[in-house]
Amino acid sequence: MPGGGFVRLPGGSVVVALTLPRPSGEGGNVRVLVHAANRARALTRLRNLGMRAVYLRGNAQPPTPDEVTAVLHHPDGLLWRGAPDRAQELWHPIRALLGT
């Protein structure tokens, strides 16, 4: 089951982090970060990109401070990289994962 979590920021917005199977079917998982006004809006952003079966149950794997910083500094507020985290892999925009 995919893991994930969220953190509420001082301004009221949230950063949601989810570990999901790679959508291309290559095997392996990806860690996806979403910055949005609330948890429901974050999940809706992912569903609108074609990730239909995305749910956040619990807060077992909240985003780390480094992940929060990365997503806040990206103009789209949607990033991903392979999971488990590889220190040498950089964050990618969501377009690179979905091939759009």
Side-chain angles (χ1 to χ4, degrees):
M1 177 166 203
F6 69 95
V7 63
R8 185 164 301 279
L9 301 175
S13 62
V14 297
V15 174
V16 173
L18 296 166
T19 303
L20 304 169
R22 194 175 290 265
S24 61
E26 298 171 5
N29 293 329
V30 293
R31 180 85 163 166
V32 179
L33 301 176
V34 184
H35 178 234
N38 56 47
R39 286 180 289 169
R41 180 76 47 99
L43 297 175
T44 299
R45 288 185 74 187
L46 290 174
R47 290 180 187 128
N48 288 342
L49 292 171
M51 298 181 188
R52 298 290 180 211
V54 175
Y55 297 97
L56 179 62
R57 292 189 171 95
N59 199 15
Q61 297 175 350
T64 65
D66 290 338
E67 291 175 333
V68 172
T69 300
V71 76
L72 289 178
H73 284 89
H74 192 271
D76 292 338
L78 277 163
L79 298 173
W80 73 276
R81 74 173 167 192
D85 293 336
R86 294 181 211 120
Q88 66 273 17
E89 184 177 5
L90 300 176
W91 289 99
H92 308 284
I94 199 73
R95 291 181 303 270
L97 178 64
L98 301 174
T100 59

